[in-house]
Amino acid sequence: LTMALAAAVAALCAGPVAGLMGVPAYQQVIQFYALILLFEGISRFVDAQFESLLLQGLAQISALLRNGARLAALVIASAAGASEVPLLTWVQYEAITTGAGALLSGYLMLRHLGRLRQSLGAGQLAQADISLARLRRFGLPTYLSHVLHIASGTEMVKLLLTRLVGTAATASFGFA
């Protein structure tokens, strides 16, 4: 929900944000970035759930196919004879590949849950403790850890450094 809200705000405020950044022509690019934010966030959240369930193999398949799709899009653009890919075209490719990755992650999770239901049987499934309090006890720390990671991760440090000291100073450290 938080990721969808952030993506919606970014998409709705794309015009003013592009103006503040000094690139008003990139409004559409910012809107595609909002989609990428949403799709990548969904994929990574599902991957984190796979890892919490000790299903690292599914998390790795999801990440590998997501990143492989990006690489394939770049190879296809290069094979078409493009020595440069316009930014709008690339973010469109990125939105398509991250959307496909989110769908794949969702499919893998649904497939796992379906197999779990088959293996447990109706009697064991009915007796399983899936109370809201238990789900909250498990899900809230995971959610909060993701929020904290976003606020304190390396990407946030890069953004703050770039904003505070400028792109040229930050680039010398390999951050930009």
Side-chain angles (χ1 to χ4, degrees):
L1 182 61
T2 306
M3 191 64 67
L5 181 62
V9 168
L12 292 172
C13 297
V17 169
L20 285 172
M21 293 173 60
V23 287
Y26 283 5
Q27 178 178 349
Q28 200 174 17
V29 170
I30 294 171
Q31 290 170 332
F32 275 107
Y33 272 127
L35 272 178
I36 294 166
L37 174 72
L38 176 65
F39 294 149
E40 190 70 22
I42 290 169
S43 297
R44 288 179 184 233
F45 181 77
V46 173
D47 289 351
Q49 299 312 308
F50 282 143
E51 291 167 3
S52 297
L53 294 169
L54 302 178
L55 298 170
Q56 287 86 355
L58 292 178
Q60 293 298 318
I61 288 170
S62 174
L64 180 67
L65 291 176
R66 210 169 46 243
N67 293 323
R70 287 185 191 112
L71 182 61
L74 185 59
V75 167
I76 290 169
S78 297
S83 60
E84 294 181 4
V85 179
L87 181 60
L88 180 59
T89 303
W90 181 250
V91 295
Q92 288 171 338
Y93 290 166
E94 183 84 12
I96 291 168
T97 58
T98 56
L103 288 174
L104 174 72
S105 294
Y107 166 74
L108 290 173
M109 182 59 83
L110 288 174
R111 188 182 76 172
H112 169 70
L113 293 174
R115 288 181 178 172
L116 182 64
R117 172 174 273 196
Q118 288 175 349
S119 70
L120 284 179
Q124 287 178 325
L125 193 61
Q127 293 178 356
D129 180 16
I130 53 172
S131 66
L132 187 58
R134 183 171 183 224
L135 292 175
R136 199 176 309 124
R137 230 181 5 254
F138 173 76
L140 189 60
T142 303
Y143 174 77
L144 290 176
S145 73
H146 284 290
V147 170
L148 286 174
H149 176 72
I150 289 169
S152 63
T154 57
E155 298 301 319
M156 185 59 72
V157 171
K158 292 175 192 178
L159 287 171
L160 288 173
L161 280 175
T162 303
R163 184 72 173 158
L164 292 174
V165 298
T167 306
T170 310
S172 65
F173 295 101
F175 286 143

